[in-house]
Structure formats: C-alpha cells, structure tokens
Amino acid sequence: MDRAGTADRAPDAGAAARGPRTPDRRGPRAAGAVCSLLRACHPGPAAAVTLLTGGLAVAAGRTGPGVLLVVAAVLAGQLSVGWSNDAVDAARDTAVGRRTKAVVAGAVTAGAVRTAAGAALALCLPLSFACGPLAGAVHLAGVGAGWAYNLGLKSTVLSWLPYAAGFASLPAFVVLGLPGRPWPPWWTVLGAALLGVGAHLANVLPDIADDLATGVHGWPQRLGRHRSGLLLPVPLVAATAVLAFGRPGPAGAAGPFAVAAAVIVAAGGALLGRTRPKVPFAAAVVVAAVGVVLLLRQGVATG
C-alpha cells in the first residue's frame, strides 16, 4: 500500500487539452500604451520648457516646495498642449505619413490622446492657481495660447504669437508667485518672448513642405523654408542681446561675449546652410542655449 500523498494520480486531461500556460501580457501591453502616450506629448519640448521654468524658480529664490509646485503646473500645461497638438493634427499627420507620430503608427488612438490632454489641462488649473491667483491666471493664459495655436492659429500669419505669449508667461508666472507678487522685469519677459518666436521657427522648419501639403499656412510656411531658415537665428540673437543688456547696471564681460558668440554662430549657420540644410537649425539651438543660460544666470526676481 502506497503512503498517503505518494499515490499515482491520473493525468489532468483538461490541462492537456488547454496546452501550456502563456504568461500574462497585460502588464507589458499597459506599459507600451503608456510609452506611446508619452511619445505623443512632445516629450522633448515639454521637458525642456519644464526644466527651464524650474531653473527660473530656483534663480528667483523660491523654496523647494514652491519650485516643485511650479514644475508640476508647467509640466501639466505642457502635457496638455503637446497631447492636444497630436490629437488635432492626427488627420494631417496621417495624410503625410508621419510614422514617427504615435497616433499615425497606431500605437495609441486620437481619442486616448484627446482624453489625456483634457485630463492634463484639468490638473493644470488647480496647480497653477496654487501658486497665486494672478500667477495662475498668467500661466493659464500662456497654456491657452498653446491650445489656440493647435486649434487654428498655427494656420495664420499670427502663428508666432502663441509661442511668444507662452514663453513670455513663464518668467511672469514664476515672479508673480513670489511673496508680495512683484512684477517681472520687462527684459526677462521680452527675452523669453523672443526665444519663443525662435522656437516656433525651429519647430516648424523641418515640416514646412508637409504643412503646406495639408493646408497649414502659418508665418514660416508663407515665408518658405529658405527664408525661414535665414530668419531663424534673428529672434534668438535679439533675445540674447535683450537678456545681456536689458538688466539695469553694468553688463559685465559675459554679456558682450554672449552676444558676440550668438552672432558668430548664427551667421556661420546661415552661411553653411546654403549647402547643408540642417546646419541653421543646429546653430539656432546653440544660440537659444546661450539665451537660456543668460536667463538663468540673470535671474528673474529683480527689475
């Protein structure tokens, strides 16, 4: 007699029919959907703008919790603008075969991106106003400018305006949330607005041909690729000059050096761009970086 628990058992015919178990793939699928959704938010620009504004908050002397609140509000706003852009442009992107877009590639639906944009905007509202009523209103005006661009202004001669307004709102948002709600210095607001115009030209430049094919006739598209490429460094060099010399008091050696470097890089990019189309964009990125460094170095809390 066999010992208890050691007797032979009949094979489970049902298990044999079912075959070997397959691992549960819901986790990887969910992770893939989240990654695809993040791809649709324009993660590069969203991260750059968020980090820039966080740096401004640190330079303005905000406390740790205050910096985190600014970062959270700006990130929510940038996510809402990025997702709404891909949701609105889904049909155009499909028409020209932009497979790098998550919606066009079929990795995520336009409805899911639209829902994410609405959720991010809803989150942006309380986060912005938590920084103060006036600061929150200014930030939401900048976010609203981004939505206005996506919903139609991108196809007009004023396509540059939402970028200028959105970038200009960032230093104002940071400063107006400080104790006493001081007004932001004009040179930080103007310098940021000019950086925004340059960002608009840089963002549109690679896609001008596709935009024209799908009926988008904004300011850069009307200028054409060649003239837009030549114009691209101009607002960025102007921003560098404003940020270098706009602050009261002596500019020091850094200001003239920064402006000279911006002019040299911009001019070199324009000249080399005649034979190498990607060079003007790369030069514009370098000039924009100089402007951002100046903006962070100068700070935004004093006039």
Side-chain angles (χ1 to χ4, degrees), residues 260-286:
V263 170
I264 292 171
V265 172
L271 290 173
L272 292 174
R274 296 176 180 177
T275 56
R276 300 179 182 179
K278 295 183 179 181
V279 171
F281 178 81
V285 171
V286 174

Side-chain angles (χ1 to χ4, degrees), residues 6-41:
T6 62
D8 293 335
R9 295 180 181 178
D12 185 349
R18 288 192 298 269
R21 290 186 179 181
T22 57
D24 188 349
R25 300 187 181 277
R26 286 176 296 180
R29 282 200 300 267
V34 170
C35 290
S36 299
L37 195 59
L38 290 177
R39 279 174 53 203
C41 78

Side-chain angles (χ1 to χ4, degrees), residues 2 5 35 39 47-49 61 76 82 87 95 99 105 153 163 170 183-184 214 224 234 256 267 282:
D2 294 327
C35 290
R39 279 174 53 203
V49 171
R99 300 292 296 176
L153 272 180
Y163 271 81
L170 297 176
W183 195 250
T214 54
V234 173

Side-chain angles (χ1 to χ4, degrees), residues 89-101 104 207-216:
D89 285 352
R92 293 193 188 102
D93 291 338
T94 301
V96 295
R98 288 179 180 165
R99 300 292 296 176
T100 56
K101 297 281 190 174
V104 178
D207 300 323
I208 285 181
D210 288 346
D211 288 341
L212 291 173
T214 54
V216 177

